Amino acid sequence: MSSTDLRQTPLHALHVELGARMVPFAGYEMPVQYPSGILAEHAHTRAAAGLFDVSHMGQAFLEGPDAARRFEALAPTDVATQPIGRLRYTQLLNESGGVLDDLMVARRPPRKAGEELLFLVVNASRKEDDFAHIRRLLPDLRLGELGDRALLALQGPKAASVLARRWPKLVELPFMGVASGAELGETGADYLVSRSGYTGEDGFEISLAASEAEVFARSLLREDEVRPVGLGARDSLRLEAGLCLYGHDLDETTSPVEAGLLWSIPKRRRAEAGFPGAARILREIAEGPGRRRVGLRLEGKAPAREGAEIVDRDGAAIGRVTSGGFGPSVGAPIAMGYVASAKAAIGEAVDLVVRGKKLAARVAPMPFHPHAYFRGP
Amino acid sequence: MSQLRYSKDHEYIRLEGEIGVVGISDHAQAQLGDVVFVELPKIGTQVVQGGEAAVVESVKAASEVYAPASGEIVAVNDALESQPSLINEDATGKGWIFRIKLADARELDALMDEAAYQEFLKTEA
């Protein structure tokens, strides 16, 4: 794809002005890092507040009669009893229980009597396929892609105090809570704010009109605690937090059980079984999956990247690394990958094959860096 | 002759007598970003011009370092094991990677001088 085919987010000019290195990502020209560099941006997010442009992600409304329960036919989550004002993480599944995408779902107050309204945020790389899939399976519901909206994330221990200067009520928003700008006392523009993110830190994701995004981003960057953070640190932060990246740690062959995402499938859905691939997923719940996503800590300093083969200490292949690199806050190389369940116990000694050499590693608990989500005042 | 000669793979070599000091260019370190690990060659290894000799890993990716000239590795920069960021801070000085005893100094004639390398970077952009 040539650079002229790449789409730009509403903050493109600001990224360039800030000196970002722009790279192609999921069809968009995105900032991979700013002049301070990935390590500094990573550390700043863990210590203060990092501002991320994630406007490439797909935002959409799904609405119509009984939209919540209807959506449950596509994903093993509980939207039917999900309160308005809560955000949930789930996966779109194929008929064999593989993950088509992972996404966030919020319920919002319906815009028409007798209807229900869901707000969805999906991965940039998957959005066209996801929206086609939803339209195909739920043709009588209305899916409205919000292509005219930006999405910003403010992440880190200072994120709440920074945003509270604008919206004092925000400090009370629970982890995975959602509030509109109006609920926060905003009189003008139409914001949707959730206490969520992809870094393991406390933080917020803010959906707003594309036309408002640059002014809003500049206002945050004027705060002492806030610095811009690119996709490079977004990746190292989420890896340390043990969070999956679609297309790497999740794909159409992996099930949520193998991926260690069973916590996102509530009891009612397991009991009722009405979701794609339920036969495989319920069997894996009962019998255990054949392979599991695990964390890996390397004993040396050399990192292992995606694709590295994982072998047991007898040299037998047991799996592959799906994400790996240097963990800046851990101060050592870390990775995640899938291994045969018999070799998935914490502490299991394995080798990761990098450039023909075996790097000693151990199966390790995730997250690699402790989560610091908001757990109440 | 202490000036740098550059390869198209963005390595530099600086001649000190019959020894060539090798690293990656300042442009290359800026492109890579924060270096977090360097896989150094073993002393005594024979390398050929254009052959893989070391690996520099940034947060994002691993990049091979190719030998800009043939010869025997006679020294490696051990300081990079504890301080790989020396490559970012001073790529052509304290961030050197290895030293080669050159097999044939005439190989350096095929490399670019500073002015030619700066021109080459414009064509790559």
Side-chain angles (χ1 to χ4, degrees), chain A residues 153-177:
Chain A
L154 189 69
Q155 299 281 300
K158 304 288 186 190
S161 53
V162 167
L163 279 174
R165 286 171 205 149
R166 184 184 189 108
W167 295 314
K169 285 185 186 171
L170 207 59
V171 295
E172 299 157 19
L173 192 68
F175 178 57
M176 297 295 271

Side-chain angles (χ1 to χ4, degrees), chain A residues 21 32-33 36-40 231-233 235-236 301-305 324-326 328 354-355 357, chain B residues 29-37 39-40 42 52 55 57-64 81-83:
Chain A
R21 180 180 308 151
V32 65
Q33 65 167 85
S36 61
I38 294 173
L39 293 179
L231 291 182
D235 192 49
S236 56
K301 289 182 176 175
R305 310 280 177 179
F326 181 76
V354 174
R355 296 185 288 272
K357 289 178 205 149
Chain B
Q29 72 74 21
Q31 288 297 308
L32 275 176
D34 299 312
V35 174
V36 294
F37 177 75
E39 187 177 306
L40 297 166
K42 285 198 170 58
E52 195 181 312
V55 178
E57 302 230 17
S58 69
V59 184
K60 287 295 286 175
S63 305
E64 283 83 22
E81 287 181 356
S82 58
Q83 233 184 318

Side-chain angles (χ1 to χ4, degrees), chain B residues 2-125:
Chain B
S2 66
Q3 90 250 37
L4 303 179
R5 310 279 297 183
Y6 293 91
S7 74
K8 288 184 176 176
D9 299 312
H10 306 284
E11 292 87 16
Y12 68 81
I13 185 164
R14 186 178 60 241
L15 207 57
E16 293 182 352
E18 56 181 15
I19 304 297
V21 182
V22 177
I24 64 170
S25 72
D26 190 58
H27 169 82
Q29 72 74 21
Q31 288 297 308
L32 275 176
D34 299 312
V35 174
V36 294
F37 177 75
V38 183
E39 187 177 306
L40 297 166
K42 285 198 170 58
I43 291 172
T45 308
Q46 296 290 330
V47 293
V48 295
Q49 188 175 35
E52 195 181 312
V55 178
V56 173
E57 302 230 17
S58 69
V59 184
K60 287 295 286 175
S63 305
E64 283 83 22
V65 177
Y66 301 101
S70 307
E72 180 186 339
I73 305 282
V74 292
V76 297
N77 187 359
D78 293 328
L80 295 175
E81 287 181 356
S82 58
Q83 233 184 318
S85 61
L86 285 173
I87 289 184
N88 297 115
E89 291 155 17
D90 189 11
T92 57
K94 289 180 184 153
W96 67 277
I97 299 174
F98 54 85
R99 290 173 192 258
I100 306 177
K101 185 176 183 190
L102 296 178
D104 180 0
R106 287 172 302 182
E107 280 184 348
L108 270 52
D109 297 343
L111 302 177
M112 293 173 274
D113 63 14
E114 186 74 43
Y117 181 62
Q118 292 305 325
E119 279 304 308
F120 171 70
L121 292 180
K122 288 179 197 164
T123 66
E124 281 223 316

Side-chain angles (χ1 to χ4, degrees), chain A residues 12-31:
Chain A
H12 186 270
L14 178 59
H15 297 315
V16 172
E17 181 185 315
L18 292 169
R21 180 180 308 151
M22 305 301 286
V23 299
F25 181 83
Y28 283 79
E29 201 178 344
M30 296 297 290

Side-chain angles (χ1 to χ4, degrees), chain A residues 224-247:
Chain A
D224 288 341
E225 302 93 330
V226 179
R227 288 190 206 155
V229 179
L231 291 182
R234 183 170 159 83
D235 192 49
S236 56
L237 288 158
R238 71 91 198 167
L239 176 61
E240 285 187 341
L243 301 172
C244 292
L245 175 59
Y246 192 83

Side-chain angles (χ1 to χ4, degrees), chain A residues 74-326:
Chain A
L74 280 60
T77 183
D78 181 351
V79 206
T81 68
Q82 182 174 344
I84 288 169
R86 297 294 299 170
L87 185 70
R88 285 200 176 136
Y89 170 80
T90 186
Q91 308 87 35
L92 293 175
L93 299 179
N94 63 27
E95 286 305 318
S96 37
V99 180
L100 294 169
D101 198 7
D102 60 342
L103 72 160
M104 291 290 194
V105 183
R107 279 191 73 164
R108 300 302 305 151
R111 297 190 282 197
K112 273 190 185 172
E115 293 197 343
E116 291 170 347
L117 178 61
L118 308 181
F119 173 65
L120 313 177
V121 179
V122 306
N123 280 300
S125 60
R126 300 294 298 156
K127 61 185 175 184
E128 280 85 13
D129 289 346
D130 289 353
F131 295 153
H133 173 77
I134 294 167
R135 287 191 174 110
R136 190 166 59 246
L137 293 178
L138 302 173
D140 51 317
L141 298 181
R142 300 188 305 283
L143 183 91
E145 190 175 352
L146 301 170
D148 59 348
R149 286 182 78 79
L151 190 64
L152 306 182
L154 189 69
Q155 299 281 300
K158 304 288 186 190
S161 53
V162 167
L163 279 174
R165 286 171 205 149
R166 184 184 189 108
W167 295 314
K169 285 185 186 171
L170 207 59
V171 295
E172 299 157 19
L173 192 68
F175 178 57
M176 297 295 271
V178 184
S180 66
E183 287 161 349
L184 296 169
E186 183 78 33
T187 50
D190 172 24
Y191 296 90
L192 193 61
V193 184
S194 61
R195 196 161 202 163
S196 55
Y198 195 45
T199 60
E201 298 297 322
D202 185 19
F204 300 84
E205 292 172 298
I206 304 128
S207 169
L208 73 173
S211 58
E212 309 270 343
E214 187 174 328
V215 169
F216 185 81
R218 284 182 191 278
S219 74
L220 291 178
L221 290 169
R222 275 196 294 275
E223 304 289 339
D224 288 341
E225 302 93 330
V226 179
R227 288 190 206 155
V229 179
L231 291 182
R234 183 170 159 83
D235 192 49
S236 56
L237 288 158
R238 71 91 198 167
L239 176 61
E240 285 187 341
L243 301 172
C244 292
L245 175 59
Y246 192 83
H248 303 263
D249 313 302
L250 295 175
D251 62 29
E252 294 184 22
T253 72
T254 50
S255 78
V257 185
E258 292 173 332
L261 302 174
L262 195 52
W263 57 269
S264 68
I265 308 181
K267 283 201 176 104
R268 173 175 70 80
R269 299 308 310 280
R270 298 184 205 180
E272 293 175 4
F275 53 85
R280 170 188 176 185
I281 287 169
L282 295 176
R283 188 182 64 242
E284 287 180 351
I285 292 172
E287 300 171 8
R291 58 176 181 166
R292 291 180 190 274
R293 182 172 64 96
V294 295
L296 298 160
R297 273 185 190 255
L298 288 94
E299 288 168 9
K301 289 182 176 175
R305 310 280 177 179
E306 179 178 5
E309 190 171 43
I310 307 171
V311 298
D312 67 15
R313 284 289 157 89
D314 299 324
I318 56 168
R320 232 167 244 290
V321 170
T322 52
S323 284
F326 181 76

